[in-house]
Amino acid sequence: MKCPVFFTDMRAGRGHSLFDKISTLLNKCRIKDRISTGNLVAVKLHFGERGNHTFIRPVFIRRIVDEIKANGGQPFLTDSSTLYPGERKEAVSALTCAVENGFAFAVVNAPLIMCDGLRGHSAIDIAIDGEILKSVSIGREIVEADVMVTVSHFKCHDLTGFGGALKNLGMGCSSRNGKLVQHSTVAPKIAEEFCTGCGACLKSCAHDAIAIIEGKAAINQEECVGCGRCVTACLQQAVNIQWNEASELILKKMCEHAKGAVLGKEDKNIYLNFITQVSPSCDCYGHADAPIVNDIGICASTDPVALDQACADLVNGAPGNVNTALQTGFEPGEDKFRGVHPEIDWEIQLEHAQKLNIGTRSYTLVKV
C-alpha cells in the first residue's frame, strides 16, 4: 500500500504564507487525531552548530508549536548531545548554542529540553529485533514523550548520503552510547600528545576501564563498554572516537536506533522534512556550503521512510547547481547525493528501514 506524503512548494502569497502551509501539512497528517489533551509532545529537531545557518528557522518551529498547543498538546523542543567534543557536547553548551541560534522561548514558545540529559547518558535501552542489534539506547525524554513531531532539514551527509527523518530519529534520538555503537566497533583511544594525566577520564569511567600509566591515560579495550563518558570528560580532547565502522553498517544501525525511537508510539508521530538550503554536509558543521539544488519545499507524512524516499526523489528530480560541492548528477533525474558523496550507498537506509517495518518506500505524493 502506498503511503501519502504531503508536499508544498515554496510559493506563497497574501493570505497564504509558508507558515499557513505548515499548518495545512500538519492538518493533512491529522494532527488532531494524534494528540490528546495534555500529551507531552517532543518536537525533535537539530538546533544547529555555532557558525552554521542551514538549520530550520526557529520561526517555522514556532508555527508547529502553536499547532500542537491548539490541539491540546504540551510541546517541548529537544535534541541530543554530540558524540564528539565540541560546541554541543553536553546540555549546557548545546542549549546555549540553541538559544544563540534563535531557539529562545520568546521565539519558539516552548521550553528546550535535551532528550539525553545533562551529559548525554540519560537513556533507556529499548529491545528491538534488529538484524545487527537486539537493543538500542534511546534518550529518555524521547521514550517518555507521548507524541513526537520530528522536524528535519533534508540535506546531504558525509556518512549517510542524505540526512532526513530517519537520521534525525536514529542518530538524533540516541544517547551518547547509542551514537558510539553506530559509529565505532572499538573503544576510544588516547592521543598521548594531548593527555596531561589529570585523571578526569578515569573519574568519569563507570567500568574501571581506564588507568593512569606513566602519567598518561590508558583504556583497557576488554573492559570498555563504549559508553563514551570519557570523551567529553577530557578538557584536553585527548580521548578520541575511532570512526572505524563501515558505511553500510552505520546506515543499518542508524535505522535500528530509529526503530527504537518510534517504538510504542508509531500511531502518534508526525514527520516534516524541509527541503531547503540543501547543503552538501550535515548541520553539525560550524559552517554551511552553498546548496546543491534550489529550495524545493516542505514534505510531511506519518511514515518516515516514505517521507525520506519522496524527498530524495524530489532532490534528484531537480536540476543541480553549478559552482557547488556537486560534482556529477547535474541533470534532473540524476543522483545528487552520489554527486557529492559517491562512495555512500544512501538507499541502504531506506531499504533497511522498510525491512524493519518502520515504514514503506512506496508513496503517493500529494501536493497541497
Side-chain angles (χ1 to χ4, degrees):
M1 181 181 296
K2 292 186 176 182
C3 179
V5 173
F6 303 101
F7 166 71
T8 183
D9 59 27
M10 301 299 291
R11 297 296 303 275
R14 184 176 299 174
H16 193 55
S17 68
L18 203 54
F19 299 100
D20 297 326
K21 288 187 169 188
I22 291 172
S23 295
T24 300
L25 289 171
L26 290 169
N27 287 324
K28 288 292 184 180
C29 291
R30 303 189 65 81
I31 186 173
K32 63 183 174 66
D33 295 333
R34 294 186 166 252
I35 298 176
S36 300
T37 300
N39 276 173
L40 299 178
V41 182
V43 181
K44 175 63 185 75
L45 69 154
H46 193 305
F47 290 141
E49 185 60 86
R50 184 177 286 113
N52 194 286
H53 62 268
T54 55
F55 53 87
I56 299 170
R57 296 176 185 175
V59 288
F60 292 142
I61 302 299
R62 170 65 176 256
R63 175 54 71 98
I64 295 169
V65 165
D66 289 346
E67 288 293 339
I68 292 169
K69 288 187 174 183
N71 284 279
Q74 299 184 70
F76 63 95
L77 308 191
T78 192
D79 198 2
S80 60
S81 301
T82 57
L83 174 59
Y84 50 84
E87 300 290 347
R88 296 177 294 116
K89 65 182 183 297
E90 29 69 20
V92 175
S93 299
L95 293 179
T96 299
C97 184
V99 172
E100 290 176 351
N101 282 342
F103 295 98
F105 191 98
V107 178
V108 297
N109 198 26
L112 278 59
I113 301 173
M114 296 300 288
C115 71
D116 55 355
L118 184 65
R119 297 182 183 273
H121 305 296
S122 179
I124 296 176
D125 287 337
I126 304 296
I128 63 165
D129 186 21
E131 176 184 309
I132 303 169
L133 305 171
K134 298 307 175 186
S135 69
V136 293
S137 181
I138 302 300
R140 181 174 296 274
E141 314 315 323
I142 293 295
V143 178
E144 294 189 351
D146 301 305
V147 181
M148 182 158 55
V149 177
T150 303
V151 191
S152 309
H153 172 218
F154 195 84
K155 70 283 180 192
C156 297
H157 192 275
D158 306 57
L159 296 177
T160 60
F162 72 76
L166 289 170
K167 181 180 177 294
N168 199 357
L169 291 168
M171 290 186 185
C173 292
S174 60
S175 68
R176 176 166 286 114
N177 174 252
K179 292 180 176 69
L180 187 58
V181 166
Q182 292 175 64
H183 290 87
S184 181
T185 62
V186 292
K189 63 180 179 180
I190 304 296
E192 292 190 357
E193 65 271 26
F194 298 115
C195 178
T196 63
C198 69
C201 59
L202 186 150
K203 294 177 183 177
S204 72
C205 182
H207 305 281
D208 296 324
I210 303 177
I212 303 296
I213 301 174
E214 297 182 356
K216 300 290 184 179
I219 298 176
N220 185 323
Q221 297 283 326
E222 294 182 357
E223 296 295 329
C224 177
V225 300
C227 68
R229 290 176 183 268
C230 56
V231 178
T232 53
C234 179
L235 297 181
Q236 284 72 40
Q237 298 188 13
V239 186
N240 298 326
I241 301 299
Q242 300 190 64
W243 308 93
N244 71 322
E245 187 58 281
S247 172
E248 176 182 354
L249 294 179
I250 290 175
L251 288 164
K252 288 185 174 182
K253 290 194 286 188
M254 179 186 78
C255 290
E256 294 184 8
H257 280 76
K259 183 176 180 67
V262 303
L263 201 63
K265 47 179 175 276
E266 293 89 344
D267 62 346
K268 302 284 284 182
N269 296 337
I270 296 174
Y271 308 92
L272 295 95
N273 281 356
F274 282 64
I275 320 173
T276 57
Q277 294 185 280
V278 183
S279 50
S281 296
C282 182
D283 294 342
C284 292
Y285 285 100
H287 65 275
D289 201 356
I292 63 167
V293 296
N294 291 338
D295 288 357
I296 293 174
I298 308 170
C299 286
S301 182
T302 56
D303 182 325
V305 183
L307 178 64
D308 277 359
Q309 180 70 70
C311 292
D313 291 343
L314 285 167
V315 170
N316 284 335
N321 290 335
V322 298
N323 299 320
T324 68
L326 189 66
Q327 299 299 307
T328 62
F330 290 93
E331 295 300 317
E334 295 182 336
D335 195 326
K336 304 297 184 293
F337 309 108
R338 287 188 177 89
V340 179
H341 304 292
E343 71 285 1
I344 305 297
D345 185 0
W346 52 269
E347 291 189 83
I348 290 173
Q349 61 179 296
L350 298 167
E351 293 169 356
H352 197 60
Q354 181 173 256
K355 182 178 178 181
L356 292 166
N357 294 318
I358 298 173
T360 177
R361 297 182 68 177
S362 183
Y363 70 90
T364 300
L365 194 67
V366 182
K367 188 170 182 179
V368 298

